[in-house]
Amino acid sequence: MSFKITDAVTWVGKRDWELRHFHGQEYSTHRGSTYNAYLVQDEKTALVETVWGPFAGEFIEQLKSVVDLSRIDYVIANHAESDHSGGLPELMRLIPEVPVYCTQNGVKSLKGHYHQDWNFQVVKTGQRLSLGARELIFIEAPMLHWPDTMFCYLTGEDILFSNDAFGHHLASEGMYNDLVDPCALMEECIKYYANILTPFSAQVKRKIEEFAGLGLPLKMICPSHGTIWRDNPMQIVKQYLTWAGNYQEHQAVIVYDTMWNGTRRMAEAIAEGMSQADPSLAVKLYNAARADKNDIITEVFRSKVLLVGSPTINRGYLSSIGGFLELVRGLGFKNKKAAAFGAYGWSGESVRLMTAQLNEAGFEVVNDGIRAMWNPDGDALEQCRAFGRGFGQGLTV
């Protein structure tokens, strides 16, 4: 159901309570999500974004209940990814001549998705579109998180339609940040940043500074997913600046997989050693084959050190660790230490190979790792505790 944000702006999006995975199966959405679309009505009417394709029919019917489609003068496509643009084909079939405002890369991407030559109007940063008493100001935001991404700002209402930036996957009946559980909200925000925006932290910082340089007042941030920031919207902007600065907390994360529990026992012994050396250090363990991969990535983002463990199998490491290492390689974490560990029976290549992967992924690999043959005995576990103590002593608050 739609609702008024201001006298001129109406939310016409879709809450997706059932969504549990996003980007195919790549991103877990434990709390669902929303696809936020906004209708701006002045002398002219502009629609900012649509919804994901499976909800296009619902979206069109809801939109018709708010405005006669023939009265829509402009469609704003801030981003061409399907969760934003999926309602466009059905909408444009009904209003084919209405101009679609997007970046040059947006034209390429939308044509690539839908193979339609709509009435595209290419915009650049600083360009304005008059709606009457209000204007939309366009702000290109490439690689936040696609090349085509842009924001737009509504004068008179002081609203930034920020697309994926400052968003999160959280379905809620109360669509404002002051109406949801603040702990759940921030948990979803940091997960979103860690898993999606980490590789683009430099661009995040530059774009925030660029927007600040425009000197535009800000009353609300309306992202494309999750809740609307109306209570102190600058809090999430400041948080993004913190996260963009090679973020870390006083935490270590140990990620492992195990076959016959030898590597698990090593992981637990290493964790004991870390805690012995520094009781203030938060140490978290995750079995990569059983825990949610995006939740693990969030904890890596928050940590100073990552330890990765796997036994050797077929002269390599277990597949869950292979997938995990590929995730961290792509995210390009900065300012984090790492090492590898694992049990083995005869050839024992896993630690060497994982060490090479961690080095390639940009971690500061501090040593060659630690191995234990077969099922680690008391002496081997004590060596693991000493290994952990070395890390704990090397991490300062």
Side-chain angles (χ1 to χ4, degrees):
M1 180 174 291
S2 63
F3 64 89
K4 283 278 192 182
I5 296 173
T6 70
D7 287 343
V9 181
T10 304
W11 181 87
V12 290
K14 171 65 181 178
R15 296 177 181 87
D16 190 348
W17 297 96
E18 297 183 355
L19 187 73
R20 290 298 176 268
H21 290 95
F22 196 76
H23 285 162
Q25 298 295 308
E26 278 300 291
Y27 187 103
S28 59
T29 51
H30 306 313
R31 297 182 172 98
S33 192
T34 67
Y35 315 107
N36 298 337
Y38 305 95
L39 188 71
V40 184
Q41 294 172 289
D42 198 326
E43 294 175 24
K44 299 286 188 178
T45 297
L47 175 66
V48 181
E49 310 252 54
T50 66
V51 300
W52 189 29
F55 300 106
E58 291 181 45
F59 167 70
I60 296 296
E61 291 307 308
Q62 176 174 251
L63 193 57
K64 286 179 178 178
S65 72
V66 178
V67 65
D68 184 328
L69 297 187
S70 67
R71 296 185 63 83
I72 296 176
D73 298 289
Y74 313 115
V75 173
I76 313 300
N78 279 342
H79 180 25
E81 199 169 1
S82 301
D83 53 308
H84 306 263
S85 66
L88 270 177
E90 177 63 16
L91 178 65
M92 299 313 295
R93 185 180 67 80
L94 299 171
I95 51 172
E97 300 305 319
V98 172
V100 177
Y101 286 75
C102 60
T103 64
Q104 184 64 61
N105 280 322
V107 175
K108 295 176 184 177
S109 189
L110 287 167
K111 285 185 175 182
H113 275 80
Y114 305 113
H115 312 290
Q116 298 292 321
D117 192 17
W118 295 316
N119 180 12
F120 292 110
Q121 299 295 314
V122 174
V123 296
K124 294 184 177 297
T125 295
Q127 189 171 331
R128 294 171 178 250
L129 178 64
S130 176
L131 305 179
R134 302 164 181 83
E135 288 182 310
L136 284 171
I137 303 175
F138 300 104
I139 304 161
E140 295 169 276
M143 300 318 301
L144 293 182
H145 62 122
W146 276 23
D148 67 286
T149 302
M150 71 175 183
F151 308 156
C152 58
Y153 174 88
L154 182 62
T155 66
E157 305 294 340
D158 303 341
I159 292 175
L160 178 66
F161 299 108
S162 62
N163 194 254
D164 280 328
F166 313 123
H168 45 278
H169 290 300
L170 173 61
S172 61
E173 194 62 33
M175 282 290 297
Y176 296 100
N177 67 304
D178 53 308
L179 298 180
V180 299
D181 177 349
C183 295
L185 173 60
M186 199 49 63
E187 186 176 288
E188 293 300 336
C189 285
I190 193 171
K191 177 179 177 179
Y192 193 90
Y193 191 98
N195 282 272
I196 294 178
L197 291 169
T198 292
F200 313 114
S201 288
Q203 290 95 321
V204 167
K205 187 173 184 292
R206 285 198 300 270
K207 190 52 55 177
I208 289 175
E209 291 171 347
E210 179 184 327
F211 179 76
L214 297 176
L216 299 170
L218 188 62
K219 291 181 181 176
M220 269 189 279
I221 296 175
C222 292
S224 291
H225 298 295
T227 52
I228 295 167
W229 298 91
R230 70 175 179 183
D231 178 34
N232 182 23
M234 285 302 296
Q235 67 179 287
I236 189 60
V237 178
K238 292 175 181 176
Q239 192 63 67
Y240 263 49
L241 284 173
T242 299
W243 290 336
N246 296 334
Y247 184 73
Q248 58 177 219
E249 300 173 17
H250 194 51
Q251 174 172 301
V253 64
I254 302 173
V255 182
Y256 69 94
D257 197 356
T258 193
M259 292 177 67
W260 299 111
N261 289 322
T263 301
R264 174 186 62 78
R265 295 175 68 221
M266 292 181 72
E268 292 173 355
I270 292 169
E272 287 177 22
M274 288 180 135
S275 295
Q276 289 169 358
D278 184 356
S280 71
L281 179 68
V283 183
K284 298 181 179 180
L285 278 71
Y286 293 93
N287 183 318
R290 298 184 177 183
D292 181 273
K293 62 187 175 184
N294 305 113
D295 294 342
I296 298 174
I297 287 295
T298 305
E299 296 305 326
V300 175
F301 177 72
R302 297 173 62 186
S303 295
K304 292 181 175 180
V305 61
L306 167 65
L307 299 180
V308 181
S310 171
T312 295
I313 181 171
N314 298 330
R315 301 185 299 279
Y317 38 76
L318 290 171
S319 60
S320 69
I321 293 299
F324 169 73
L325 288 171
E326 177 61 20
L327 276 177
V328 296
R329 183 200 61 78
L331 288 167
F333 289 113
K334 302 284 194 300
N335 194 32
K336 298 185 189 298
K337 302 178 186 295
F341 64 95
Y344 70 104
W346 51 97
S347 58
E349 292 94 340
S350 67
V351 170
R352 173 177 57 81
L353 295 172
M354 289 185 293
T355 298
Q357 287 289 90
L358 288 166
N359 187 65
E360 182 183 342
F363 289 85
E364 180 189 342
V365 179
V366 299
N367 57 46
D368 293 332
I370 185 170
R371 302 189 305 167
M373 196 166 187
W374 301 114
N375 190 17
D377 60 13
D379 289 342
L381 292 177
E382 182 52 40
Q383 290 173 13
C384 289
R385 291 186 192 96
F387 183 78
R389 284 192 292 270
F391 271 96
Q393 292 163 356
L395 301 176
T396 57
V397 178

